[in-house]
């Protein structure tokens, strides 16, 4: 019985190995055609050693810059960007390693991302000051950008932004998130994302992200997200050190409904640091407020844009 069990295990291991090798070959071959199948909707801009994907639409100032959360790309702002483009110049982009952007140097902290965003906008010829909207982890990046480049920041919209003060929770979640992203990267690398995209793509992904899932949620994006997750404590410290001054730019802090009292307290603290800050509680309890209530986010961005023109 033991010999039969060992033989069965050996056969199973062999089948897994063969399937993995086949998946690697399939994914490698398929990725060669991704540039033609899933062309970038924007353009690639050199920021000094690597290129970032930038998509700008519409016209009219001030320029609005959209910053995605962890594991997400410019596609996460699809609806908001389309609606804002009527009357405003709107730019979304992919951080280094995500979607159509090339890998960048580490460590992948919020501070590095903010510096690369500054270089991207300058190289692309998009003039400031900017209205910056950041979702989740993207909220840390735009807050850091505003603190470092005050003359380039017209105002902020923070959509359920990460709390830089939640260090204890980050220490617990960081290895768990990194492990999950490693699994996701492996599944994408052996072709399961292409073969079973409906199972692996997040259920609330936008239409644009779902259509280009092998690129948007591919191995490169998962590796980039893992690097950012692993640097989360350093990113939080960077933000905490940079946003001590109370007189920040105008800000609208958008949070989902039904969250813990601490989330509302944190939102009020962030708004109170601003020269003109307020908190908006969405009707949805979903983290991706820009998916479930895009008009609310669009209105908040337009509010800040209109205020800067006065």
């Amino acid at each position: 019985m033991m010999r039969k069990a060992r033989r069965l295990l050996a056969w199973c291991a062999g089948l897994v190995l063969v399937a993995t090798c086949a998946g690697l070959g399939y994914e490698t071959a398929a990725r060669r055609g991704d540039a033609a199948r899933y062309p970038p909707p924007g353009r690639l801009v050199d920021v000094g050693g690597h290129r970032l994907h930038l998509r700008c639409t519409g016209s009219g100032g001030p320029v609005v810059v959209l910053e995605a959360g962890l594991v997400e790309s410019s596609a996460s702002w699809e609806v908001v960007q389309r609606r804002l483009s009527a009357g405003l110049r709107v730019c979304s982009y992919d951080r280094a390693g995500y979607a159509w952007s090339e890998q960048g140097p580490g460590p992948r902290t919020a501070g590095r991302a903010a510096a690369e965003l500054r270089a991207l906008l300058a190289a692309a010829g998009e003039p400031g000051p900017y209205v910056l909207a950041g979702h989740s982890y993207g909220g840390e990046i735009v807050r850091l950008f505003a603190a470092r480049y005050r003359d380039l920041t017209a105002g902020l919209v923070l959509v359920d932004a990460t709390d830089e003060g939640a260090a204890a929770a980050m220490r617990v979640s960081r290895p768990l998130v990194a492990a999950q992203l490693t699994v996701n990267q492996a599944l994408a690398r052996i072709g399961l994302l292409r073969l079973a995209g409906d199972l692996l793509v997040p259920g609330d992904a936008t239409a644009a992200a779902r259509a280009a899932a092998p690129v948007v949620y591919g191995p490169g994006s998962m590796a980039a997200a893992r690097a950012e997750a692993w640097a989360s404590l350093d990113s939080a410290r960077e933000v905490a050190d940079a946003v001590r001054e109370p007189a920040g730019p105008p800000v609208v802090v958008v949070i989902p409904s039904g969250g813990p009292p601490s989330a509302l307290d944190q939102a009020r603290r962030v708004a109170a640091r601003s020269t003109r800050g307020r908190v908006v509680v969405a009707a949805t309890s979903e983290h991706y407020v820009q998916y479930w209530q895009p008009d609310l986010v669009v209105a908040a961005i337009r509010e800040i844009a209109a205020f800067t023109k006065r």
Side-chain angles (χ1 to χ4, degrees):
M1 290 293 293
M2 289 299 296
R3 281 197 298 270
K4 288 182 179 179
R6 284 196 295 268
R7 193 174 299 126
L8 179 60
L9 288 174
W11 272 102
C12 290
L15 288 173
V16 170
L17 180 61
V18 170
T20 300
C21 291
L24 286 169
Y26 163 71
E27 177 65 19
T28 300
R31 283 167 62 187
R32 295 192 185 104
D34 280 350
R37 282 190 294 268
Y38 312 108
R43 58 188 174 119
L44 294 176
V45 180
D46 193 296
V47 295
H50 62 287
R51 297 181 301 167
L52 300 182
H53 170 246
L54 175 72
R55 178 174 178 255
C56 296
T57 56
S59 61
V63 175
V64 176
V65 179
L66 305 173
E67 183 71 66
L70 190 73
V71 197
E72 292 297 344
S73 69
S74 54
S76 68
W77 291 105
E78 173 194 8
V79 176
V80 169
Q81 180 161 2
R82 185 171 66 249
R83 297 184 184 182
L84 281 173
S85 295
L88 288 170
R89 179 72 168 168
V90 189
C91 296
S92 59
Y93 81 109
D94 302 321
R95 292 191 298 276
Y98 281 98
W100 292 277
S101 288
E102 296 174 349
Q103 295 286 341
R108 298 309 307 172
T109 63
R112 185 179 294 276
E116 289 181 352
L117 175 58
R118 170 71 185 96
L120 172 65
L121 294 170
E126 298 294 340
Y130 312 102
V131 174
L132 299 117
H135 171 246
S136 193
Y137 170 66
E140 288 194 326
I141 297 171
V142 300
R143 291 179 69 202
L144 200 50
F145 184 102
R148 290 183 175 181
Y149 312 109
R150 295 175 68 90
D151 59 327
L152 291 175
T153 306
L156 300 176
V157 174
L158 305 175
V159 183
D160 204 13
T162 300
D163 178 5
E164 75 278 2
M170 289 181 193
R171 288 190 185 92
V172 174
S173 64
R174 183 177 64 164
L176 300 176
V177 172
Q180 181 60 60
L181 292 169
T182 300
V183 172
N184 290 356
Q185 181 185 12
L187 294 175
R189 187 65 188 87
I190 62 175
L192 285 182
L193 181 61
R194 294 179 193 272
L195 294 173
D198 287 344
L199 297 177
L200 299 180
V201 175
D204 53 4
T206 65
R210 192 171 293 280
V215 173
V216 173
Y217 297 110
S221 293
M222 293 303 109
R226 184 178 64 239
E228 289 181 344
W230 200 250
S232 60
L233 286 172
D234 291 332
S235 295
R237 280 192 289 268
E238 289 176 335
V239 176
D241 290 341
V243 299
R244 297 184 187 279
E245 295 185 34
V251 61
V252 176
V253 183
V254 181
I255 61 172
S257 60
S262 58
L264 182 57
D265 291 340
Q266 165 64 9
R268 286 171 174 162
R269 284 194 295 271
V270 172
R273 295 191 184 106
S274 169
T275 54
R276 182 180 183 272
R278 74 184 188 99
V279 177
V280 176
V281 180
T284 180
S285 60
E286 299 290 341
H287 176 52
Y288 287 85
V289 181
Q290 71 269 34
Y291 290 178
W292 299 93
Q293 282 191 268
D295 287 338
L296 180 68
V297 177
V298 168
I301 294 173
R302 288 195 182 279
E303 175 187 328
I304 294 293
F307 179 76
T308 62
K309 292 179 181 180
R310 295 175 185 173

